[in-house]
C-alpha cells in the first residue's frame, strides 16, 4: 500500500519549475478518500506558473495539535535516468526522483493517517517550491492559515529527529571603482583592491563570529562564505566594478541581521578612510533557523519511536516556517540526504515502513484526547 502511494507520487513529475497542480490533485483525492477536509492555497510563481500549497484537516478548524509537512516539488532529474518517474525496487531499496526527498515521507504520512484514530485535530501540509527557496512554506507562514502546536517536517534524515537547523542568508556585494589605464593608477580607483579590503574584514568577522557558540551545531557558530567573485574587464585596466556573493548560516539564537550590521560597520570604516569608497549590499535571502528544545514532548517522542538521538543540521528546512505558525518543529524522514538530489535517489523500504509506524505513534500520542 505505502509502496503503491509512493509509486503514484513518483510517477507524477513535480520538478519545481513545473506547476504542482497534478500532484496536488492526486493528494487531494487521497485525502478526501480518508475523509479529510482539504484547502488549497494557490499562488503564481515569478515565472507566471500556478503553484498550490494544500492543507488537509481531520476537522474544520484553524488550530491543530499536529501537522505532518511534506514538500511536493523535487529537484530536476537527468532525462536518461529511466527510473526517475517509474519507482523501481531493488535489494530492499526503492529508486526514483523524490523517493527520499520527500515523496517517501508523504507516502508514509498518508499511510499513518489512514491507520489511526485522532481525537485532537491533525493537519497534513503539502507545500510547493521547497527546493527553490522554501517559497511555498514562506507563503503559508505569511498567510497564517493555521496555528500548529507540533509539526513534523519530512526531509531525508535516516529517521534521525532533527530539532534545530541553522538559518540561511545571502547577499550580493557590489563594489565600485573608477576605470583607468593601469600604467597610471592615480587616475582611477581599483574596485578589486577595494573589494579585497572588504573581504579581509569579512575574514575577521568570520573569526569574531566564532565567539558566539551554539554547542548543538557542527561547527558550533555562524559561518560565512564568499563563494563567487567577479571583477574587472582587462589585465591592464583598473577594475571599475567588483561583485561577490556573501553567504552566511546563522545559528538560530542569532538574528540574520547581526552579520549584516557587522559588515555595514566595516563598510562605514572603509568609507571614512576613503571618502570615494562606494559599495552596495543587496540582501536577497534571510531564512531564519529553528530550534526546538531537547526536552520537548515531540523530540522525546520521536527519539523513543526511532531509537535515534536527536541532532541538528546546518542547512535550511521548512521547520522555520512551521515555527512561524506557532509550532515546535522536528525534521525527520526516511532515506539519506546524501542520496537526494542525484541520479539513483532511493529510499530503503524498511525505513519507509518504519517512518509510517513512527508517524502513527506520533499521531496517537499527541492527538489522542
Ligand atoms: Zn526536501
Amino acid at each position: 500500500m505505502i509502496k503503491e502511494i509512493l509509486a503514484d507520487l513518483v510517477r507524477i513529475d513535480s520538478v519545481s519549475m513545473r506547476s504542482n497542480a497534478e500532484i496536488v490533485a492526486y493528494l487531494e483525492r487521497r485525502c478526501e478518500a480518508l475523509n479529510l477536509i482539504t484547502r488549497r492555497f494557490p499562488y503564481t510563481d515569478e515565472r507566471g506558473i500556478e503553484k498550490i500549497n494544500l492543507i488537509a484537516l481531520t476537522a474544520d478548524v484553524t488550530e491543530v495539535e499536529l501537522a505532518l509537512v511534506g514538500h511536493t516539488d523535487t529537484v530536476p532529474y537527468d532525462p536518461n535516468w529511466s527510473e526517475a518517474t517509474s519507482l523501481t525496487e531493488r535489494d530492499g531499496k526503492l529508486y526514483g526522483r523524490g523517493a527520499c526527498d520527500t515523496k517517501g515521507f508523504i507516502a508514509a504520512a498518508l499511510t499513518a493517517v489512514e491507520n489511526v484514530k485522532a481525537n485532537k485535530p491533525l493537519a497534513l501540509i503539502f507545500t510547493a517550491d521547497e527546493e527553490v527557496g522554501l517559497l511555498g512554506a514562506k507563503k503559508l507562514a505569511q498567510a497564517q492559515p493555521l496555528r500548529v502546536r507540533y509539526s513534523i517536517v519530512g526531509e531525508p534524515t535516516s529517521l534521525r529527529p532533527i530539532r534545530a537547523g541553522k538559518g540561511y542568508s545571502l547577499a550580493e556585494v557590489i563594489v565600485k571603482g573608477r576605470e583607468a589605464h593601469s600604467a597610471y593608477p592615480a587616475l582611477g580607483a581599483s574596485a578589486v583592491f577595494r573589494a579585497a579590503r572588504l573581504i579581509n574584514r569579512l575574514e575577521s568577522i568570520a573569526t569574531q563570529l566564532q565567539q558566539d557558540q551554539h554547542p548543538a551545531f557542527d561547527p558550533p557558530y555562524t559561518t560565512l562564505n564568499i563563494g563567487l567573485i567577479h571583477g574587472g574587464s582587462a589585465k591592464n585596466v583598473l577594475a571599475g566594478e567588483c561583485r561577490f556573493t556573501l553567504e552566511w548560516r546563522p545559528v538560530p539564537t542569532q538574528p540574520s541581521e547581526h552579520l549584516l550590521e557587522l559588515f555595514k560597520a566595516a563598510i562605514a570604516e572603509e568609507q571614512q578612510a576613503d571618502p570615494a569608497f562606494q559599495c552596495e549590499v543587496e540582501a536577497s535571502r534571510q531564512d531564519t533557523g529553528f530550534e526546538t528544545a531537547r526536552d520537548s514532548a515531540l523530540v522525546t517522542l520521536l527519539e523513543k519511536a526511532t531509537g535515534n538521538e536527536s541532532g541538528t543540521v546546518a542547512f535550511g528546512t521548512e521547520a522555520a516556517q512551521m515555527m512561524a505558525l506557532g509550532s515546535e518543529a522536528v525534521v525527520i524522514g526516511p532515506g539519506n540526504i546524501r542520496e537526494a538530489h542525484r541520479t539513483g535517489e532511493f529510499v530503503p523500504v524498511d525505513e519507509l515502513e518504519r517512518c509510517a509506524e513512527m508517524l502513527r505513534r506520533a499521531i496517537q500520542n499527541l492527538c489522542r484526547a
Side-chain angles (χ1 to χ4, degrees), residues 162-188:
I162 299 298
R163 63 169 191 86
K166 286 185 180 176
Y168 186 83
S169 304
L170 193 62
E172 172 96 359
V173 183
I174 303 134
V175 183
K176 298 283 188 197
R178 208 169 61 249
E179 288 197 337
H181 194 297
S182 62
Y184 306 100
L187 297 180

Side-chain angles (χ1 to χ4, degrees), residues 116-319:
V116 89
K117 275 243 172 317
N119 298 325
K120 291 185 194 162
L122 166 79
L124 299 180
I125 302 180
F126 303 113
T127 58
D129 286 335
E130 190 268 355
E131 298 287 3
V132 288
L134 315 170
L135 303 180
K138 286 176 184 170
K139 296 263 182 206
L140 283 179
Q142 248 169 26
Q144 295 279 318
L146 208 59
R147 296 302 285 172
V148 180
R149 172 102 185 267
Y150 298 109
S151 53
I152 301 178
V153 178
E155 275 294 310
T157 71
S158 303
L159 295 185
R160 183 176 190 199
I162 299 298
R163 63 169 191 86
K166 286 185 180 176
Y168 186 83
S169 304
L170 193 62
E172 172 96 359
V173 183
I174 303 134
V175 183
K176 298 283 188 197
R178 208 169 61 249
E179 288 197 337
H181 194 297
S182 62
Y184 306 100
L187 297 180
S190 165
V192 168
F193 278 143
R194 284 177 172 169
R197 293 205 292 274
L198 274 188
I199 290 169
N200 260 328
R201 287 178 174 274
L202 281 165
E203 208 174 357
S204 310
I205 290 173
T207 311
Q208 189 184 335
L209 288 169
Q210 296 183 14
Q211 307 295 315
D212 189 358
Q213 295 263 323
H214 192 308
F217 285 98
D218 172 27
Y221 43 80
T222 299
T223 58
L224 71 82
N225 182 44
I226 296 161
L228 292 167
I229 182 162
H230 183 84
S233 58
K235 66 181 187 304
N236 51 1
V237 176
L238 266 69
E241 186 181 277
C242 183
R243 297 174 163 253
F244 60 89
T245 57
L246 173 60
E247 178 205 57
W248 66 106
R249 296 167 189 265
V251 293
T253 39
Q254 189 182 80
S256 167
E257 297 78 31
H258 178 63
L259 183 143
L260 224 42
E261 280 158 17
L262 294 176
F263 185 40
K264 285 188 174 156
I267 294 170
E269 279 179 30
E270 285 299 327
Q271 277 164 338
Q272 225 148 33
D274 171 6
F277 190 98
Q278 260 192 58
C279 169
E280 284 164 45
V281 181
E282 292 174 0
S284 56
R285 259 178 92 166
Q286 283 182 301
D287 300 353
T288 48
F290 85 101
E291 181 163 22
T292 295
R294 183 169 277 150
D295 60 2
S296 153
L298 181 64
V299 175
T300 50
L301 175 85
L302 294 177
E303 284 182 331
K304 222 185 268 172
T306 58
N308 294 329
E309 206 189 316
S310 64
T312 64
V313 286
F315 53 84
T317 68
E318 294 172 313

